[in-house]
Amino acid sequence: MNKVLRNIFFSLLSAGCLSACHDLDVPLESKLNPSNFPQTQAQFILASGPVYTAFGSATLTREYWFLQSLSTDECILPARGGNWFDGANYQQMHLHTWTPDNGCVNMGWSLLTTTISTCNQVLSTFASSPVEADPQILAEVKTMRALSYFLMMDLYGNIPVV
């Protein structure tokens, strides 16, 4: 009985695969490009959303706090019986022996450069739009980029400005 059910299932699966649609050149009816998005005030606000998503992650605030506080005598994270040791990441921060491979240093850099890159991409989208963006939205995106640059300079010193 098992063999019969397996043959029926295989036959139905083969018939479904062979009768599947092979036409892959389907016309796009809702393609977003610079000529049709963003055009309204609401669309400009929606287009600036990824900037706030990239900057507002809880990981960024945690990593920034780790880099600012664990590298000073303000706080320490003790390894309680081997727990929380985390490959000596926190100990390296406290002893100032971190390397670019340290999770806190690497993640802080990655999150801030992602925010800057997202800001640049949104500003490029605004510049290529046929409708002029609201000055307030442009100022907000530029402020988020400037804040990210400020945090990077505070943490890493002389950084490349793109």
Side-chain angles (χ1 to χ4, degrees):
M1 184 67 178
N2 235 356
K3 192 174 185 181
V4 172
L5 287 176
R6 193 174 348 142
N7 287 337
I8 292 173
F9 176 73
F10 180 71
S11 299
L12 289 175
L13 183 64
S14 298
C17 289
L18 292 175
S19 66
C21 179
H22 298 288
D23 183 17
L24 300 178
D25 295 326
V26 178
L28 298 175
E29 297 177 5
S30 63
K31 184 177 179 182
L32 295 178
N33 55 41
S35 66
N36 65 9
F37 182 83
Q39 290 185 346
T40 65
Q41 180 73 13
Q43 288 178 346
F44 278 104
I45 292 171
L46 289 173
S48 67
V51 172
Y52 298 102
T53 303
F55 189 80
S57 72
T59 309
L60 175 62
T61 55
R62 187 187 72 211
E63 297 301 331
Y64 183 76
W65 183 81
F66 282 166
L67 290 167
Q68 288 291 335
S69 300
L70 291 179
S71 61
T72 65
D73 288 335
E74 182 180 349
C75 72
I76 60 167
L77 281 177
R80 301 177 191 273
N83 295 335
W84 298 9
F85 187 65
D86 198 23
N89 279 339
Y90 307 126
Q91 182 181 11
Q92 289 173 1
M93 294 302 298
H94 188 70
L95 298 175
H96 295 211
T97 59
W98 62 81
T99 64
D101 295 331
N102 184 293
C104 297
V105 174
N106 193 11
M107 185 62 72
W109 179 270
S110 296
L111 291 169
L112 288 170
T113 55
T114 299
T115 302
I116 292 169
S117 174
T118 304
C119 289
N120 288 338
Q121 184 179 12
V122 167
L123 290 172
S124 173
T125 302
F126 288 175
S128 62
S129 175
V131 180
E132 189 172 326
D134 182 21
Q136 180 179 349
I137 296 173
L138 278 173
E140 288 178 8
V141 173
K142 289 179 180 180
T143 301
M144 294 301 290
R145 182 176 63 179
L147 179 59
S148 298
Y149 273 124
F150 171 77
L151 294 176
M152 283 191 73
M153 285 189 274
D154 186 35
L155 292 174
Y156 304 103
N158 190 12
I159 59 166
V161 178
V162 180

